[in-house]
Every structure is written in C-alpha cells, then in structure tokens.
Amino acid sequence: MTAEQIGFAFIILGLFIVIGKWIRVYTPLLQQLFLPSSIIAGIIALLVGPEVLGRIVGLFTAEDNIFTQGLINAATLEVWGTLPGLFINIVFATLFLGKSLPSLSKVWHIGGPQVAMGQMVSWGQYVVGLLLVLLVLTPYFGVNPLAGALIEISFVGGHGTAAGLGGTFAELGFEEGQDLAVGLATVGILTGVIVGIVLINWGARSGRAKHVGGAAKFSSAGRNGIVELDNRDSGADMTTRPESIEPLSLHLAYVGIAILIGWLLLEGLILLEAFTWGAWTGTYLMIYVPLFPLAMAGGIITQGFSDKFDKFRIIDRKMINRIGGFSLDVLIISALATISLAVIGENIVAFVSLAVAGIIWNIFAFLVLAPKMIPSYWFERGIGDFGQATGITATGLLLMKVADPENKTPALEGFGYKQILFEPFVGGGLFTAASLPLIFQFGPTAILILSAVVTLFWLIFGILYFGRK
C-alpha cells in the first residue's frame, strides 16, 4: 500500500461525505429519520462498491470487467477496511481531553447505570445463544456448541473481535465459526443502525427522547443539518497563536499522546500476562483486549497531567470535539462501505436463528429493562448501550449522537465511563476471548449457568441499586 493510494482513499471518502451531506439536505425522508450524513455516505459507498454494484455487473459481464469491483477500486477499500480500527482509538482518546477530571464517585454515579446495563445485556447474549444451541441448533441441526458464544463475539465484539478470534476458531475445530461471526457482525451493524434510528424516531414522537435534533429538532432548517448564517458559533477556541504552533496540530499531538499511553498500558498488560498467569496456564487473553478503552484511559492520564502542570489550559474542549467528530464520521463511513454481504451459506439456520435471537434480546433489554435500571435519561443513555450491544461501539456513539447531538444529557459521558469497567471483560475483552476455550473445556451447560448467574446479578443490582435512584 503506497502513500498515494492511502491519500487517494481519503479523497474518495471525502467525496462520499459531500455527496451524503447534500443528499440529506434535499431529502425530507432522510431528515425525518434523523439519519446522519455519514450513514448516508457509507450506505452509498456500499451500494456502488463490489458488494452490490460489482456483483450485479458480474452477473452480466466477464470477471475481468472493470466494473465488477464497482466504482471503488480494491486499494481504496483496503485502506478503508483499516480505518474503523484506527479511528475508534481517536474517538475514545478524545472523550475526556479538555475536561476537568471528575471524582471517582462521579464516575460511578454517572457511568454506573450504563455499566450495569451493558454487562447485563452482554452476558445475557451468552445466555440466549447457549440456550438456543443446547435446545435447538445442536440437537436438531448438529451445530457446534461453540456457536453459543457467537452473538456476544459478533454483536458486542464486532468485526475486529470476530476476525481476531479466527485462530481460536480453527484450533477448536470450528473453522466455519469465523465466517458466521463476521456475518453476524455485519447483520449487527446494519440492524443496530436501522433499528436504532427507528427507536429514536419512536422516542422523539412519543416524548421519551427529548433532545433529538438539538434545539431546532423539528424545524425545517434544523432538519437539514445546516446552521443558519446568522446563528453560527465558532467551532473551537484558539488557545495558541498560529505563528507559534497551529492549534489543530497541537491538539492532534495531545490525542496522539493519549493513544500512545493507552498502547503502553496495553503492552504492559500483555507482558505481565506473559510472565505470570499466561506462562503458568498457557492461556493468553490480553492480546484480544482492544486498544480503544485504554486509549480513553490514556486521555484521562493526559488530561490529569494537563490539569496539574499546564497553567495556560492549552487543551480546548471544542477543538477536541471537532477532532472526535471528524474521526467518528470517518469511522462510520469506512465501516459501512466495507461491510461484507457475501457470508451466510450452508449454516443459514444457525446464522438466522442467532441473529434473530440476539436482536430480540437487545430490543427487549432496551425497551423493558433499561427504564428500570437507568434512573435518568434512560432513553439517551440506553440507546448507546443498545447500539454497542447490537453493532459495535461506534454504533452506540452514532445513536447517541442522533438522540442527543448537543450532549445535553450525561449519555456520552456515562458511555465513556462505562468502557473502563466494560471493555476489559466483554465486548472483545477477557471473557469474550476466553469464552470459546471455556465452552470447549467445560461444556456449554457450565458456561450457560455461569452466564445466567452473572446476568441476573447485574440485572438485580441495576434495578435495586440504580433503579431506585
């Protein structure tokens, strides 16, 4: 991959951003759905790429026809395929930069309900998947019992986790598990976005979601996403003089430092495991822990040093918001544009059953359990958990961006706090990585019992402790 190809891939991505924005400006239906331009751009890129247009052209022409790749070349798609895993680190590194760090009690008070909700939903996905395997898929269709872990691996873990566990699938004799996991991750992203937007529209019209679209949520001017000429605010404050250092350059450097600290933390944990429990047991789990929750921790550490030693308060929160917002848009477009639609196959029964069961459980948890577990702003906060549990972390961020674009609720802040006590364990964390070997070693029934106990614990704790508040 050359520098020219990488640069060209970003130029093409920018073109789709512009196309997506102007389509939204002139499409009332998309405005009524509160569909962000980044989603529109990503879907358009998917449609004109090899997965849709390319396959249609391939039905009527020879394989060497230039349009069997669609309108996007392979090199560009290869670059885009790496972007979600990179830019999610930037999104999380920016969550706390430029903010005064809260006390631990505030972290628990704001993020605690979403920790309980997220843990309950994720462990519940193991319960649903293992029950489906034990009662239907294995006895009647001969599906490998390891398939019981696929909902959580695919829906909460996403494409990165599904692909990262490929070696584990192969070692345990379940090679087709990776294809199923990647396919379910694709279904999860699409379902998370589509069902999430439907739920947000229902919430806006029923009065449960009070901040959709911001201050001008139902005016025609607000719906098209254009700020009126006489009502425009500055996107950031200039905390340094450009002749000294460009403020954007300096803020990007601080984000990079936060990610570097997160990477050092992760590498330290991997080394610790290699010389302790990993060496003793031969089981290595830390290599499956994603970087982005530790990048968030790096942002907290960076901000802590800034609070203590930077008397000029150089880090501007509004500038950081622009960096995080740009990164989220790039992430969404590249993730949607590179979805693989060519999975399913001979495991269609297991694939569809697991997908439907996981979606039903997530919707039930959001509509029925979230109001009982989250004491305030349950819709705005719960929709982020729904998005993450159905698609990926970026889906949760996207849905919260639609439901609360001006951050008038603690949803985004609580969602960020949640990751500290969430991602190290599930959603690509320790238990996600260990779930396949554990099912293989101890059997699906034992892990079902464990998952049910943990799910009930978080459910009861959330209702009795946070729900009463």
Side-chain angles (χ1 to χ4, degrees):
M1 188 62 60
T2 66
E4 288 80 5
Q5 289 173 322
I6 295 172
F8 184 74
F10 275 94
I11 291 173
I12 299 302
L13 188 143
L15 175 64
F16 279 104
I17 289 176
V18 174
I19 292 173
K21 176 57 189 175
W22 285 107
I23 287 177
R24 190 185 192 278
V25 168
Y26 291 109
T27 309
L29 175 61
L30 298 178
Q31 297 171 19
Q32 292 169 5
L33 290 173
F34 304 107
L35 202 61
S37 301
S38 55
I39 290 184
I40 300 170
I43 292 175
I44 293 171
L46 176 65
L47 293 176
V48 301
E51 290 296 318
V52 180
L53 178 61
R55 292 184 182 278
I56 294 173
V57 172
L59 295 174
F60 305 100
T61 63
E63 291 184 2
D64 57 353
N65 188 291
I66 188 174
F67 292 110
T68 55
Q69 187 67 27
L71 300 181
I72 306 173
N73 62 44
T76 296
L77 289 172
E78 185 179 351
V79 174
W80 287 1
T82 66
L83 297 183
L86 293 174
F87 278 82
I88 190 65
N89 299 314
I90 300 176
V91 171
F92 270 83
T94 61
L95 285 179
F96 299 106
L97 281 176
K99 291 183 176 181
S100 297
L101 296 179
S103 64
L104 289 177
S105 61
K106 182 180 179 182
V107 170
W108 179 245
H109 174 71
I110 296 177
Q114 285 163 273
V115 171
M117 179 71 185
Q119 292 279 359
M120 186 271 298
V121 173
S122 293
W123 287 91
Q125 289 180 350
Y126 284 111
V127 174
V128 171
L130 289 167
L131 278 174
L132 190 59
V133 162
L134 286 170
L135 298 179
V136 180
L137 296 181
T138 298
Y140 293 103
F141 298 96
V143 174
N144 193 312
L146 294 176
L150 290 181
I151 298 176
E152 200 276 340
I153 288 173
S154 305
F155 277 18
V156 190
H159 286 85
T161 303
L165 290 174
T168 304
F169 282 119
E171 290 174 8
L172 299 178
F174 187 39
E175 291 85 354
E176 66 271 25
Q178 183 177 12
D179 291 331
L180 288 171
V182 173
L184 285 170
T186 302
V187 171
I189 290 178
L190 292 173
T191 303
V193 172
I194 295 171
V195 175
I197 294 295
V198 171
L199 289 171
I200 288 172
N201 279 270
W202 166 76
R205 284 158 179 75
S206 64
R208 291 172 174 82
K210 300 178 174 61
H211 302 284
V212 176
K217 56 185 174 182
F218 291 118
S219 69
S220 59
R223 281 180 175 173
N224 65 19
I226 302 293
V227 179
E228 296 86 347
L229 188 60
D230 298 330
N231 193 33
R232 296 179 179 179
D233 298 322
S234 62
D237 291 329
M238 302 282 284
T239 58
T240 60
R241 295 185 179 276
E243 63 268 21
S244 166
I245 182 71
E246 171 58 41
L248 177 60
S249 303
L250 184 62
H251 284 73
L252 284 171
Y254 273 111
V255 173
I257 290 172
I259 296 173
L260 175 61
I261 292 173
W263 179 80
L264 292 173
L265 290 173
L266 181 58
E267 290 299 309
L269 290 172
I270 292 173
L271 283 175
L272 177 64
E273 179 185 62
F275 289 104
T276 54
W277 62 85
W280 303 332
T281 64
T283 301
Y284 297 91
L285 303 176
M286 295 308 302
I287 57 174
Y288 296 112
V289 175
L291 173 60
F292 63 85
L294 293 165
M296 180 183 62
I300 294 173
I301 294 172
T302 303
Q303 186 58 41
F305 274 94
S306 178
D307 287 342
K308 187 170 184 178
F309 299 109
D310 179 14
K311 66 179 181 180
F312 301 107
R313 296 293 182 265
I314 284 179
I315 302 178
D316 172 46
R317 181 60 199 170
K318 290 193 288 185
M319 180 74 79
I320 293 295
N321 281 339
R322 302 289 74 77
I323 295 172
F326 163 76
S327 301
L328 182 58
D329 285 337
V330 171
L331 187 158
I332 291 167
I333 296 169
S334 57
L336 286 173
T338 55
I339 285 175
S340 174
L341 301 178
V343 185
I344 305 185
E346 54 186 47
N347 295 289
I348 183 67
V349 174
F351 183 84
V352 173
S353 299
L354 290 168
V356 172
I359 292 167
I360 291 174
W361 162 248
N362 289 344
I363 294 174
F364 171 80
F366 172 68
L367 293 178
V368 178
L369 301 180
K372 296 178 173 60
M373 298 178 66
I374 302 177
S376 61
Y377 303 106
W378 74 266
F379 191 97
E380 290 82 3
R381 300 167 81 171
I383 198 68
D385 294 328
F386 169 82
Q388 184 175 29
T390 306
I392 52 177
T393 303
T395 307
L397 292 169
L398 162 68
L399 295 179
M400 285 188 295
K401 183 179 181 180
V402 179
D404 182 22
E406 297 176 358
N407 293 329
K408 291 186 175 181
T409 75
L412 182 60
E413 187 177 8
F415 189 77
Y417 292 144
K418 163 195 168 185
Q419 307 310 318
I420 299 174
L421 299 176
F422 179 81
E423 289 290 351
F425 306 103
V426 289
L430 293 175
F431 189 82
T432 302
S435 60
L436 294 170
L438 287 172
I439 294 172
F440 182 83
Q441 184 69 34
F442 300 105
T445 302
I447 306 306
L448 170 62
I449 294 172
L450 171 65
S451 301
V453 170
V454 178
T455 301
L456 286 174
F457 166 78
W458 285 111
L459 175 62
I460 294 171
F461 180 76
I463 292 175
L464 296 183
Y465 182 79
F466 291 112
R468 288 182 174 180
K469 297 179 181 296

